[in-house]
């Protein structure tokens, strides 16, 4: 299963709390989606047989447009699930994080510490977001064939807590997982064969916050080893 965060939006660039406000990808974000989709398509190309890949997406346009970049390369349909949305941030949505820190210093500090029952701007708690994320993911996995891969196009904060809950981390350790950068992804795999449903599976994190890598280093010519031929 691949958790894939959407590309950049203008609110990401301005460090505004987006939440469930439906902000589209900006030009940079669209380019990020195209490039990371090409990388993921290459990763998925080795999977055998029809139906081995399934794409599910949040219904917010920034995630769905990111999913479309991959669907256009793989030919897979996209299933939309509103449970994969970002945290509903109530009165914080649209505010810059600096504004939230000035107006709601106690609340934002607890929320950033992943206090499970703190409501973001009066909206959702971390626990509620993790619960709906995992429910959507397990429903998606139950429909997958053996050896298949589910690609989940979603959001940074929702991915982090959903992934932490899926891996069985206690709530006080959810902060040990970093968030995802725009158009980066994390990969988990079933760690033990099981005849039980997906809700009873154990999961292993194999990649986290992976995206565009720098070009390999090459030594300058004057420092390179001399060639004898």
């Amino acid at each position: 299963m691949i958790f894939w965060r959407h590309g950049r939006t203008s609110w990401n660039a301005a460090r505004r709390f987006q939440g469930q406000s439906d902000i589209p990808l900006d030009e940079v974000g669209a380019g990020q989606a195209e490039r990371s989709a090409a990388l993921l398509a290459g990763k998925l190309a080795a999977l055998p047989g029809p139906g081995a890949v399934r794409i599910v997406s949040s219904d917010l346009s920034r995630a769905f447009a990111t999913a479309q970049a991959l669907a256009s390369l793989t030919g897979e349909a996209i299933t939309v699930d509103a449970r994969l949305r970002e945290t509903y941030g109530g009165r914080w949505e649209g505010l810059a994080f600096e504004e939230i820190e000035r107006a709601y210093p106690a609340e934002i500090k607890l929320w950033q510490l992943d206090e499970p029952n703190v409501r973001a701007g009066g909206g959702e708690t971390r626990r509620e977001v993790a619960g709906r994320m995992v429910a959507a993911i397990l429903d998606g996995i139950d429909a997958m064939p053996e050896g298949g891969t589910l690609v989940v196009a979603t959001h940074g904060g929702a991915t982090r807590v959903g992934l932490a809950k899926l891996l069985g981390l206690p709530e006080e350790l959810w902060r040990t997982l970093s968030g995802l950068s725009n158009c980066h992804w994390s990969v988990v795999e079933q760690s033990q064969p099981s005849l039980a449903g997906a809700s009873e599976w154990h999961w292993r994190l194999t990649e986290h916050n992976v995206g565009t890598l720098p070009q390999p280093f090459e030594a300058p010519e004057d420092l390179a080893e001399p060639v004898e031929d």
Side-chain angles (χ1 to χ4, degrees), residues 18-52:
Q18 287 187 119
Q20 295 187 7
S21 298
D22 199 8
I23 310 303
L25 299 180
D26 63 13
E27 185 176 353
V28 169
Q32 290 172 333
E34 289 180 5
R35 191 176 195 287
S36 61
L39 294 171
L40 285 176
K43 187 180 186 71
L44 296 168
L47 293 176

Side-chain angles (χ1 to χ4, degrees), residues 32-181:
Q32 290 172 333
E34 289 180 5
R35 191 176 195 287
S36 61
L39 294 171
L40 285 176
K43 187 180 186 71
L44 296 168
L47 293 176
V53 177
R54 185 167 177 245
I55 304 171
V56 295
S57 174
S58 159
D59 62 337
L60 297 178
S61 62
R62 58 190 183 269
F64 187 76
T66 301
Q68 283 181 309
L70 180 60
S72 68
L73 297 177
T74 64
E76 302 295 330
I78 302 170
T79 300
V80 173
D81 193 327
R83 293 176 294 178
L84 299 173
R85 285 185 173 195
E86 184 57 283
T87 304
Y88 172 55
R91 56 184 175 272
W92 292 356
E93 294 195 8
L95 297 180
F97 278 93
E98 292 81 1
E99 295 174 313
I100 299 171
E101 288 164 359
R102 287 196 300 269
Y104 308 97
E107 293 92 331
I108 188 65
K109 183 176 181 180
L110 289 173
W111 185 77
Q112 289 173 333
L113 290 172
D114 283 346
E115 185 65 35
N117 293 311
V118 171
R119 297 191 174 278
E124 286 185 292
T125 68
R126 298 284 199 191
R127 183 178 290 157
E128 289 168 344
V129 176
R132 62 172 167 78
M133 281 286 292
V134 169
I137 290 160
L138 294 180
D139 284 350
I141 284 291
D142 274 334
M144 294 297 298
E146 183 71 23
T149 296
L150 182 70
V151 180
V152 183
T154 182
H155 307 267
T159 288
R160 190 172 64 80
V161 296
L163 182 57
K165 183 176 177 65
L166 188 73
L167 293 172
L169 293 178
E171 290 173 349
E172 62 269 20
L173 295 181
W174 284 4
R175 292 182 67 238
T176 61
L177 288 179
S178 68
L180 297 184
S181 301

